[in-house]
């Protein structure tokens, strides 16, 4: 089977840096949106939809797949796109797409493992009120929380100096498992503590620790501070085995194709 070609935009979105690193590590070919040949027999996987490709590819002969990774963004049909994938099961059901969970790669952890518990939780993300509420709750309980913004070497330090990885949904109405956060946590073998998703998909009790939003700060404190230890770390190890060993990024794409 010929490898699919991943299609990127010339505008760089920092939030997709991990995705493109996974594509590189898996050895998949890449082209820009203006280089996609709709008359070919190739298979293309498009990630970002913006002004560079909004017109789509009417009457495309090529197999064009949109892997939609933004569950909080409204979805509509797209000219020439043969199929749509979603990396979260609930999101796939909402937009009538195919559920294709994203695998990871241990090499996404780009640097030496100097882990020690400087932070109880790595809490990386854009701080909106529903996320700030959890941050405040953790602070009130004395939890050591990482900086909420970090990239490159700084992010590597945060992730190798944290006990667990915390996720809070950006939008309450889009309770999806965040694929690009999960692949990073898996590469670092970090246990994931998350606001409860609508559907867990391939993830089970061996890979996720879940709580409703109202109790998430207390739940995260209990696991990452009070009960930390080998039992907590087993969740991170389980996530690593699932997404880095059993269902790597390359394998997750090949299985879907």
């Amino acid at each position: 089977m010929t490898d699919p070609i991943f299609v990127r935009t010339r505008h760089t979105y920092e939030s997709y840096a991990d995705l493109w690193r996974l594509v590189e590590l898996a050895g998949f070919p890449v082209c820009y949106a203006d280089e996609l040949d709709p008359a070919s027999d190739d298979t293309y996987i498009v990630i970002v939809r913006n002004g560079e490709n909004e017109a789509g590819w009417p009457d495309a002969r090529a197999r064009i797949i949109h892997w939609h990774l933004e569950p909080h963004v409204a979805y509509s049909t797209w000219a020439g796109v043969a199929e749509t994938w979603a990396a979260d099961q609930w999101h796939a059901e909402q937009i009538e797409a195919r559920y294709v969970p994203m695998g990871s790669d241990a090499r996404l952890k780009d640097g030496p493992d100097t882990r020690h518990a400087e932070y109880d939780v790595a809490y990386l993300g854009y701080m909106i009120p529903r996320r700030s509420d959890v941050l405040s709750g953790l602070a009130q309980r004395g939890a050591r929380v990482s900086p909420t913004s970090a990239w490159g070497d700084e992010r590597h330090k945060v992730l190798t100096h944290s006990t667990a990885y915390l996720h809070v949904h950006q939008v309450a109405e889009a309770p999806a498992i965040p694929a690009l956060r999960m692949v990073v946590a898996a590469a670092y073998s970090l246990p994931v503590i998350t606001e409860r998703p609508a559907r867990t998909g391939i993830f089970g009790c061996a890979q996720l620790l879940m709580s409703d939003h109202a109790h998430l700060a207390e739940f995260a404190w209990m696991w990452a501070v009070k009960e930390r230890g080998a039992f907590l770390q087993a969740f991170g190890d389980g996530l690593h085995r699932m997404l880095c060993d059993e269902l790597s990024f390359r394998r997750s794409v090949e299985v879907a194709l």
Side-chain angles (χ1 to χ4, degrees):
M1 180 180 67
T2 304
D3 279 345
I5 302 168
F6 277 78
V7 183
R8 65 183 305 164
T9 57
R10 293 192 181 273
H11 179 80
T12 299
Y13 294 89
E14 188 65 36
S15 58
Y16 283 103
D18 293 312
L19 181 281
W20 295 114
R21 177 62 175 151
L22 286 171
V23 171
E24 177 187 3
L25 291 170
F28 288 122
V30 176
C31 76
Y32 286 107
D34 53 48
E35 297 172 333
L36 187 157
D37 181 4
S40 72
D41 292 321
D42 292 327
T43 296
Y44 295 95
I45 299 177
V46 183
I47 304 297
V48 174
R49 181 174 183 172
N50 69 4
E52 297 179 37
N53 54 27
E54 182 59 37
W57 305 270
D59 303 317
R61 177 181 177 181
R63 181 186 179 189
I64 302 175
I65 301 165
H66 179 205
W67 204 352
H68 190 22
L69 302 177
E70 302 285 352
H72 57 283
V73 176
Y75 182 78
S76 60
T77 56
W78 198 0
V81 173
E83 57 191 286
T84 303
W85 296 351
D88 171 77
Q89 186 180 20
W90 169 84
H91 185 215
E93 293 168 355
Q94 295 299 303
I95 64 174
E96 299 183 341
R98 183 178 178 185
Y99 172 44
V100 178
M102 183 180 291
S104 186
D105 191 307
R107 294 171 293 175
L108 194 60
K109 183 178 72 173
D110 193 11
D113 191 346
T114 57
R115 181 172 299 177
H116 67 270
E118 180 177 346
Y119 305 112
D120 298 311
V121 293
Y123 191 17
L124 299 169
Y126 178 63
M127 285 297 111
I128 53 176
R130 67 188 326 274
R131 287 176 171 169
S132 296
D133 289 347
V134 176
L135 181 62
S136 297
L138 287 167
Q140 290 170 7
R141 291 168 173 80
R144 298 170 299 172
V145 182
S146 75
T148 57
S149 178
W151 295 99
D153 291 342
E154 183 180 358
R155 189 188 74 165
H156 176 73
K157 180 181 177 182
V158 166
L159 295 175
T160 55
H161 288 69
S162 297
T163 300
Y165 193 108
L166 176 63
H167 169 69
V168 178
H169 302 318
Q170 182 172 341
V171 179
E173 293 74 23
I177 291 177
L180 291 176
R181 295 184 187 277
M182 296 297 289
V183 297
V184 171
Y188 282 81
S189 299
L190 276 172
V192 172
I193 300 171
T194 180
E195 181 176 1
R196 191 176 304 279
R199 299 290 296 273
T200 57
I202 65 171
F203 302 101
C205 296
Q207 294 88 29
L208 290 177
L209 291 156
M210 300 171 283
S211 172
D212 60 273
H213 184 269
H215 301 94
L216 189 54
E218 181 179 3
F219 183 80
W221 172 83
M222 180 187 73
W223 278 103
V225 180
K226 186 178 179 182
E227 302 293 340
R228 66 192 306 159
F231 186 68
L232 172 62
Q233 182 54 44
F235 288 90
D237 295 339
L239 183 63
H240 181 92
R241 284 193 299 273
M242 171 183 274
L243 296 187
C244 294
D245 299 334
E246 299 166 11
L247 188 70
S248 67
F249 181 78
R250 171 169 270 278
R251 179 164 173 73
S252 67
V253 173
E254 290 176 338
V255 167
L257 292 172

